[in-house]
Amino acid sequence: GKHRIVIPCLGHFKEEYEKVSKLYMNNKIRTTKYTLVNFLPRNLFEQFHRVANLYFLFLVVLNWVPLVEAFQKEITMLPLVGVLTIIAVKDGLEDYSRYKMDKQINNLLTKVYSR
């Protein structure tokens, strides 16, 4: 595997340090669950792990069958879409506040011990 090289005093080793430091992960804090790319699929995946949402999805699918159709298809979808939208907005706002807090923490000044 890879091994780690620690260079305590940069001085004339600066070029080597920059080359070696690209091989390792940074130490930034990231507590967010979502990115812009995976927000919708991941949020829907999490929401359909709730039994109530699966039940309403079952009712929507069942209402699309012509023999079982109780009332208009669009009306059956309203409660499910409403709940999914409200929860997605709530999760998005919570994740955005986590992102702002992470950004604030990652930009703090730090003290480095050096002899």
Side-chain angles (χ1 to χ4, degrees), residues 97-108:
S97 66
R98 277 192 226 113
Y99 166 76
K100 288 193 321 188
M101 185 61 76
D102 291 347
K103 190 173 180 181
Q104 182 182 12
I105 290 172
N106 288 329
N107 290 325
L108 288 175

Side-chain angles (χ1 to χ4, degrees), residues 9-65:
C9 179
L10 293 180
H12 55 280
F13 293 111
K14 186 173 183 172
E15 293 174 10
E16 183 180 350
Y17 170 75
E18 290 173 356
K19 183 174 68 173
V20 169
S21 65
K22 293 178 184 176
L23 301 174
Y24 300 101
M25 296 291 295
N26 58 22
N27 63 348
K28 289 186 178 182
I29 294 172
R30 182 173 177 262
T31 59
T32 56
K33 290 195 300 186
Y34 308 109
T35 63
L36 288 175
V37 176
N38 73 0
F39 175 75
L40 190 61
R42 189 166 182 184
N43 188 269
L44 287 175
F45 178 76
E46 288 176 1
Q47 288 193 45
F48 282 115
H49 272 83
R50 297 184 180 127
V51 177
N53 290 345
L54 285 175
Y55 172 73
F56 283 109
L57 180 65
F58 173 72
L59 290 179
V60 167
V61 170
L62 194 61
N63 206 32
W64 283 88
V65 177

Side-chain angles (χ1 to χ4, degrees), residues 64-79:
W64 283 88
V65 177
L67 294 174
V68 185
E69 183 178 347
F71 38 87
Q72 292 180 345
K73 299 170 185 141
E74 295 80 15
I75 293 176
T76 310
M77 292 172 43
L78 284 177

